[in-house]
C-alpha cells in the first residue's frame, strides 16, 4: 500500500492557486539592435520619390589661378545628368488579426492588442533593415559601383583588406557594416598579427574599430545566404559607408505624416472587425535608401568567416 503523507499546514501547490504570478511581456529573440537604421541619416520625401541629380563627372571645368594680365577668362559651365535616377519608397506591410474574445478577456496586466502590435512592428522593422541591404532595387549591396568592389586577398578579412576599403571611401568614412561572424574573423586576423583593434562606445555599446572607424554588426549581411549560418565556414561581404546628405553619402528615405503614424515612415491603422470577431490592423512601413555618389560606399566581397588559427 502507498504511504500517505499527513499535512499539518497548507501545501505549496494549493497555496500557489491564490498567488499572483509576476509575468514578463512576450520576449522575442529575433529582435536585433538594427544599427544600420540608427546610423543612417533619414530624409523625408514628398510624394514618396527622390530624384538624385548629379554633375557629369567626365566634364572638366576650366578655372584660372593667379592671372595678372587682361586675357579673357575661360567661359564654362557644370553639366548635369539628363536622366537622373529616381528612388521611390517601397512598402513593407502586414495585417495583424486579433480575436476580440481574447483581447476582451486576457488583457490584464498586458494589453493583448498592444503586445501583438509591438511584436509585429518589430518584425516589420527587422525586414526594413534587411531590405535596406539586400533589396534588388535600392539595397546597398546592389548599389555598390563596380569600381568600389574589392575581393578579399586571402579569404579571411585582414587589416590590409579593410585598408583597401578605406582607399575607396576615404572622404569622411562613417562605419564598416558586417555580419558578427565577419567581425569575429577580422578580430582573429588582427590578433594573429599582434594588432588588436581599439574599441569605441556608441549608444552605450562597445564596437571594435579599424583606423578609428567602427565595425558595426548586422546579421542582415548574410553568410552564404543565411543570417544564421549552419556550417563553420561561409562567405559574406563587408561594407564601408559614408552617411549623410551634406557629405554626399548614403541616406535613408521615408514618408512623413502618414495616417496613424507611430514612428517616422511607419503607420498602424484599424481595418475593422470581421464576422468571425477578428479585429484587423494594417501595419505599413515606407522606406528606401539612396547612394548619392558612387564613392559613398564600397564592398569587400568573398569574405571567409570560418578561418581559425592555432597558437602554440
Amino acid at each position: 500500500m502507498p504511504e500517505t503523507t499527513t499535512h499539518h499546514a497548507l501545501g505549496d501547490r494549493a497555496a500557489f492557486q491564490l498567488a499572483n504570478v509576476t509575468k514578463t511581456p512576450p520576449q522575442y529573440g529575433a529582435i536585433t539592435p538594427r544599427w544600420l537604421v540608427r546610423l543612417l541619416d533619414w530624409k523625408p520625401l514628398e510624394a514618396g520619390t527622390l530624384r538624385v541629380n548629379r554633375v557629369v563627372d567626365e566634364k572638366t571645368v576650366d578655372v584660372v589661378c593667379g592671372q595678372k594680365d587682361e586675357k579673357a577668362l575661360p567661359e564654362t559651365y557644370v553639366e548635369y545628368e539628363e536622366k537622373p535616377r529616381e528612388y521611390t519608397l517601397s512598402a513593407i506591410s502586414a495585417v495583424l488579426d486579433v480575436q476580440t474574445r481574447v483581447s476582451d478577456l486576457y488583457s490584464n496586466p498586458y494589453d493583448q492588442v498592444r503586445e501583438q502590435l509591438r511584436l509585429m512592428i518589430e518584425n516589420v522593422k527587422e525586414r526594413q533593415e534587411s531590405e535596406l541591404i539586400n533589396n534588388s532595387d535600392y539595397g546597398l549591396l546592389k548599389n555598390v559601383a563596380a569600381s568600389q568592389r574589392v575581393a578579399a586577398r586571402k579569404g579571411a578579412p585582414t587589416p590590409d583588406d579593410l585598408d583597401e576599403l578605406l582607399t575607396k571611401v576615404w572622404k569622411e568614412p562613417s562605419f564598416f557594416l558586417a555580419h558578427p561572424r565577419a567581425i569575429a574573423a577580422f578580430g582573429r586576423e588582427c590578433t594573429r598579427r599582434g594588432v588588436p583593434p581599439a574599441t569605441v562606445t556608441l549608444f552605450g555599446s562597445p564596437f571594435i574599430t579599424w583606423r578609428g572607424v567602427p565595425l558595426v554588426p548586422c546579421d542582415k549581411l548574410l553568410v552564404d545566404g543565411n543570417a544564421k549560418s549552419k556550417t563553420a565556414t561561409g562567405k559574406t561581404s563587408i561594407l564601408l559607408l559614408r552617411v549623410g546628405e551634406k557629405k554626399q553619402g548614403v541616406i535613408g528615405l521615408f514618408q512623413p505624416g502618414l495616417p496613424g503614424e507611430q514612428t517616422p515612415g511607419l503607420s498602424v491603422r484599424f481595418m475593422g472587425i470581421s464576422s468571425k470577431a477578428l479585429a484587423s490592423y494594417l501595419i505599413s512601413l515606407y522606406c528606401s535608401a539612396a547612394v548619392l555618389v558612387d564613392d559613398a560606399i564600397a564592398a569587400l566581397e568573398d569574405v571567409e568567416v570560418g578561418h581559425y588559427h592555432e597558437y602554440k
Side-chain angles (χ1 to χ4, degrees):
M1 295 290 291
E3 295 183 1
T4 59
T5 302
T6 302
H7 293 285
H8 300 283
L10 183 65
D12 287 356
R13 180 170 297 182
F16 184 74
Q17 308 309 313
L18 298 182
N20 287 328
V21 178
T22 301
K23 297 170 282 294
T24 70
Q27 307 298 299
Y28 187 44
I31 298 174
T32 69
R34 299 189 290 268
W35 296 118
L36 174 61
V37 176
R38 296 198 204 185
L39 292 170
L40 281 181
D41 283 356
W42 290 88
K43 182 178 181 64
L45 302 185
E46 294 184 12
T49 302
L50 173 73
R51 179 181 298 129
V52 178
N53 292 304
R54 291 184 175 183
V55 176
V56 177
D57 295 332
E58 289 76 11
K59 180 176 174 57
T60 59
V61 177
D62 295 326
V63 297
V64 173
C65 295
Q67 182 178 7
K68 296 181 179 180
D69 53 29
E70 296 181 357
K71 290 183 180 179
L73 295 176
E75 297 182 7
T76 187
Y77 66 98
V78 179
E79 183 66 276
Y80 301 154
E81 291 181 344
E82 294 184 356
K83 296 182 179 180
R85 179 173 177 179
E86 292 185 349
Y87 294 84
T88 302
L89 294 181
S90 176
I92 303 172
S93 303
V95 175
L96 169 68
D97 291 330
V98 179
Q99 172 59 248
T100 55
R101 178 179 58 84
V102 170
S103 60
D104 289 345
L105 298 179
Y106 307 113
S107 286
N108 187 31
Y110 295 107
D111 185 287
Q112 293 288 349
V113 173
R114 182 179 294 110
E115 292 302 320
Q116 287 282 296
L117 283 172
R118 177 178 67 85
L119 296 175
M120 284 295 295
I121 289 172
E122 292 290 347
N123 269 285
V124 169
K125 288 184 175 181
E126 289 293 326
R127 182 60 182 270
Q128 174 195 21
E129 186 171 67
S130 177
E131 292 297 308
L132 289 172
I133 294 172
N134 300 300
N135 186 275
S136 60
D137 178 33
Y138 62 84
L140 298 182
L141 286 173
K142 179 73 173 181
N143 285 278
V144 179
S147 61
Q148 295 290 102
R149 296 179 183 270
V150 179
R153 297 170 66 250
K154 297 182 179 180
T158 66
D160 293 337
D161 290 324
L162 267 60
D163 281 344
E164 188 68 20
L165 276 187
L166 286 167
T167 68
K168 299 292 186 180
V169 188
W170 60 269
K171 306 171 188 174
E172 302 179 89
S174 300
F175 56 89
F176 296 97
L177 192 70
H179 192 280
R181 291 190 63 193
I183 295 177
F186 175 70
R188 291 192 295 271
E189 296 303 313
C190 290
T191 300
R192 176 72 171 177
R193 290 162 173 74
V195 286
T199 61
V200 66
T201 299
L202 300 172
F203 303 103
S205 297
F207 296 85
I208 69 170
T209 66
W210 183 249
R211 309 297 190 195
V213 181
L215 280 78
V216 176
C218 177
D219 65 349
K220 314 306 186 305
L221 276 161
L222 307 179
V223 177
D224 286 347
N226 300 293
K228 296 182 179 179
S229 180
K230 300 178 181 179
T231 63
T233 60
K235 291 187 176 181
T236 184
S237 297
I238 297 176
L239 297 176
L240 176 59
L241 290 79
R242 177 177 69 250
V243 299
E245 185 174 8
K246 291 182 178 179
K247 296 180 179 180
Q248 299 188 109
V250 179
I251 58 174
L253 310 174
F254 75 100
Q255 183 76 25
L258 296 172
E261 187 174 68
Q262 303 295 309
T263 59
L266 184 143
S267 71
V268 176
R269 282 179 277 185
F270 179 60
M271 299 173 63
I273 300 176
S274 72
S275 60
K276 297 181 180 180
L278 295 178
S280 298
Y281 300 84
L282 173 64
I283 299 101
S284 301
L285 189 151
Y286 300 91
C287 71
S288 186
V291 179
L292 299 183
V293 294
D294 288 345
D295 68 3
I297 185 171
L300 179 65
E301 300 179 319
D302 296 326
V303 174
E304 175 61 55
V305 300
H307 184 66
Y308 293 81
H309 301 283
E310 293 185 3
Y311 299 95
K312 298 181 180 180

